[in-house]
Amino acid sequence: MARAESRYVCQSCGAVHPKWAGKCDECGAWNTLVEEASRPSAPKGLGGKGGRPLAFVGLQGDASAVARRASAIAEFDRVCGGGLVPGSALLIGGDPGIGKSTLILQAMAALATGKNGQQLDCAYVSGEESLDQVRLRARRLGVVDSPVRLAAATSIRDIAASLDRPDAPQIVAIDSIQTMYLDNLDSAPGTVSQVRAAAQELIRLAKMRGFTLLLVGHVTKEGMIAGPRVLEHMVDTVLYFEGERGHQFRILRAVKNRFGPTDEIGVFEMTDAGLAEVSNPSALFLGDRQREVAGSAVFAGIEGTRPMLVEIQALVAPSALGTPRRAVVGWDGNRLAMVLAVLEARCGVAIGANDIYLNVAGGLRIGEPAADLAVAAALISALVHEPVPADMVVFGEIGLSGEVRPVSQAEARLKEAEKLGFASALMPPRRGRSKERPTSANAFRTREIAHLRLLFNLFENAPQPLRRAGAAGGRV
Ligand code: TYD
Ligand code: MG
């Protein structure tokens, strides 16, 4: 057997180094190398001996549609792609205290009671909390009567012994993977090697016994699922549970799903009795909006398949600093820099010397470029101290020459806006369609603009040259 030697494993990217160093060469992270005993090296090259040749088949053939186990918590099921798939592994990541354990327990209770018509055998293994703590939580959530099997354990050997049998549960939740350990590894629980090995063993069991595995994973300061990125590659589905601590909204987001769409989100509200589903997120995100305030625009966005209206707020203030401040919450800072540059270069707006703060209200994170125009509208509104019309939604992507580009699913965005009582939309031109929307009772108006300059016609206070320049090419 090979001599046991130490090796140093980066806890951020999983790279292995022979010597300790302050910085990982691979990912550039500092202070992430941890000593671990190296495993005896694997035998080199098999030389084609002993294996059984594979029987290759064609792509055509019977492929049974995956049976799904829905929990009847609609927001959760949608993000999973319609329900949990037997034999698959799902990882839920999120900051501490965001509500992962609460979500898992509620979903397990719903699956076990058969809210969806089919009672499932569910087991919840807690490595973080004692049985009493989990029971207390269950009481608070009002799910004490549901037949979930509960255990507090951290040893994978014990857990495997209870799962590797014909009567294994149908759903198994492990809270959290960072607390689990394998006793044949020397490293401490939570290190890359332990997390990886523990997950590997559990996933192997899930595939073999056909149960659905739910893993809870912590998130590091950098926002990655703690320890290994490799964990994300090993599982079939990765969900992130996110939200601002100060807000009660929680958003469950699929970032990888072998059995369903990604980009789908589920919206919850954290209440005294656990997570409540939010089936109309737009109403929630716009709930605290003050109307007729300068520096605010309502963006008609799409999250996954769902239209969602959110308020974008901007504050523009003269800067006392040589390098003005830029602070962005809920949007991409680089994208903001681009919108500012286009405003300066293509529309002649002197905005760059100001401190600029941008906030997506309600704690939502927006990734769509379609928010560009709404951001620009909020910025200009803040700059000229004049509100965007309160009954108007805005969407559209901005190109580098200042053109406003069409975005996907415009109709769905307009419909949502109309449903929530908005009366007009500022948006990119729609090609090949009649300008007039089929008029409904309260005639919804669309204002289609092809260039960012035309945005200024919206504001009375906008500097004259700008307005005239806009009007010259005008289609507003
Ligand atoms: P938890 O599920 O323990 O978070 P995680 O497992 O992600 O660390 O959630 C903890 C927070 O949620 C805690 O701050 C209390 C709050 N909470 C409620 O507001 N209402 C509830 O019914 C429950 C169970 C928790
Ligand atoms: Mg927890």
Side-chain angles (χ1 to χ4, degrees):
M1 205 175 122
R3 189 165 53 96
E5 276 177 0
S6 284
R7 56 185 198 155
Y8 297 85
V9 181
C10 172
Q11 301 300 301
S12 169
C13 69
V16 179
H17 302 259
K19 282 208 183 80
W20 189 85
K23 181 182 175 189
C24 171
D25 296 338
E26 210 60 41
C27 66
W30 288 91
N31 282 331
T32 54
L33 299 200
V34 168
E35 181 175 3
E36 290 179 7
S38 53
R39 275 170 272 175
S41 54
K44 297 205 179 77
L46 297 168
K49 286 181 292 232
R52 231 174 335 123
L54 305 177
F56 288 102
V57 296
L59 290 176
Q60 262 182 350
D62 290 339
S64 50
V66 280
R68 292 185 184 271
R69 295 156 171 170
S71 67
I73 300 178
E75 298 292 309
F76 180 73
D77 291 338
R78 185 187 29 250
V79 178
C80 300
L84 301 173
V85 177
S88 72
L90 183 150
L91 176 65
I92 298 186
D95 291 332
I98 205 76
K100 300 180 295 297
S101 305
T102 309
L103 176 71
I104 292 275
L105 190 56
Q106 277 184 272
M108 296 289 275
L111 286 158
T113 22
K115 263 177 107 181
N116 199 40
Q118 182 197 11
Q119 281 201 348
L120 294 169
D121 185 3
C122 299
Y124 180 98
V125 181
S126 174
E128 275 179 5
E129 293 165 306
S130 66
L131 294 180
D132 283 343
Q133 283 174 307
V134 180
R135 285 192 180 128
L136 264 175
R137 186 199 304 271
R139 191 169 311 152
R140 189 168 171 189
L141 301 175
V143 297
V144 271
D145 296 329
S146 81
V148 175
R149 292 202 257 161
L150 181 63
T154 52
S155 162
I156 291 291
R157 191 181 291 277
D158 298 347
I159 295 170
S162 4
L163 297 181
D164 193 4
R165 38 201 293 172
D167 63 342
Q170 289 164 293
I171 316 266
V172 177
I174 305 288
D175 188 0
S176 65
I177 189 68
Q178 273 86 11
T179 54
M180 300 294 144
Y181 76 95
L182 273 163
D183 47 20
N184 55 356
L185 292 185
D186 286 340
S187 39
T191 53
V192 173
S193 316
Q194 282 286 5
V195 169
R196 183 161 36 191
Q200 226 154 27
E201 179 62 18
L202 290 167
I203 291 169
R204 190 184 64 80
L205 278 174
K207 298 253 184 291
M208 197 167 72
R209 293 291 175 189
F211 59 79
T212 306
L213 180 65
L214 303 179
L215 298 174
V216 172
H218 291 254
V219 160
T220 58
K221 287 197 294 293
E222 292 77 32
M224 291 198 306
I225 291 186
R229 262 264 129 118
V230 279
L231 200 51
E232 298 192 16
H233 297 295
M234 288 160 63
V235 298
D236 300 299
T237 304
V238 179
L239 309 181
Y240 270 86
F241 202 36
E242 53 191 37
E244 297 291 323
R245 262 324 167 70
H247 294 287
Q248 69 274 46
F249 323 124
R250 299 285 182 268
I251 289 163
L252 186 65
R253 195 184 286 277
V255 292
K256 161 180 174 180
N257 196 347
R258 288 191 183 139
F259 301 108
T262 50
D263 292 345
E264 201 60 270
I265 71 166
V267 184
F268 296 89
E269 192 175 356
M270 183 61 97
T271 68
D272 287 343
L275 293 158
E277 293 181 67
V278 175
S279 43
N280 186 354
S282 300
L284 183 76
F285 289 125
L286 294 180
D288 301 326
R289 185 169 71 109
Q290 291 187 312
R291 298 167 75 87
E292 303 287 348
V293 179
S296 150
V298 176
F299 167 53
I302 298 272
E303 286 287 348
T305 53
R306 254 196 319 182
M308 196 164 298
L309 305 188
V310 280
E311 182 188 357
I312 292 182
Q313 302 173 327
L315 185 66
V316 176
S319 181
L321 305 170
T323 314
R325 277 183 65 92
R326 303 275 185 268
V328 187
V329 179
W331 205 48
D332 179 8
N334 292 329
R335 203 83 205 165
L336 172 66
M338 192 205 84
V339 171
L340 290 172
V342 173
L343 281 171
E344 293 240 350
R346 306 290 180 194
C347 310
V349 187
I351 194 172
N354 294 293
D355 285 340
I356 292 172
Y357 303 87
L358 194 78
N359 178 37
V360 177
L364 192 71
R365 265 206 75 80
I366 299 180
E368 269 193 298
D372 292 352
L373 191 58
V375 169
L379 288 170
I380 299 303
S381 162
L383 186 70
V384 302
H385 304 291
E386 192 183 327
V388 175
D391 61 358
M392 172 180 271
V393 297
V394 186
F395 62 90
E397 184 179 342
I398 296 174
L400 284 183
S401 60
E403 82 274 23
V404 178
R405 314 172 70 117
V407 295
S408 63
Q409 307 191 51
E411 292 303 317
R413 297 172 202 263
L414 294 174
K415 224 153 125 203
E416 175 81 357
E418 199 169 349
K419 201 171 85 191
L420 281 144
F422 286 83
S424 62
L426 185 72
M427 57 181 289
R430 285 180 290 175
R431 296 199 189 90
R433 300 212 192 150
S434 70
K435 287 271 162 55
E436 291 304 312
R437 269 171 62 75
T439 42
S440 60
N442 52 352
F444 191 91
R445 288 191 314 127
T446 59
R447 296 173 110 186
E448 301 176 18
I449 60 172
H451 196 279
L452 192 54
R453 267 195 317 261
L454 304 172
L455 173 64
F456 295 88
N457 293 346
L458 208 58
F459 303 101
E460 294 281 318
N461 300 347
Q464 283 309 309
L466 284 171
R467 292 192 62 211
R468 214 166 295 128
R475 289 219 285 136
V476 173

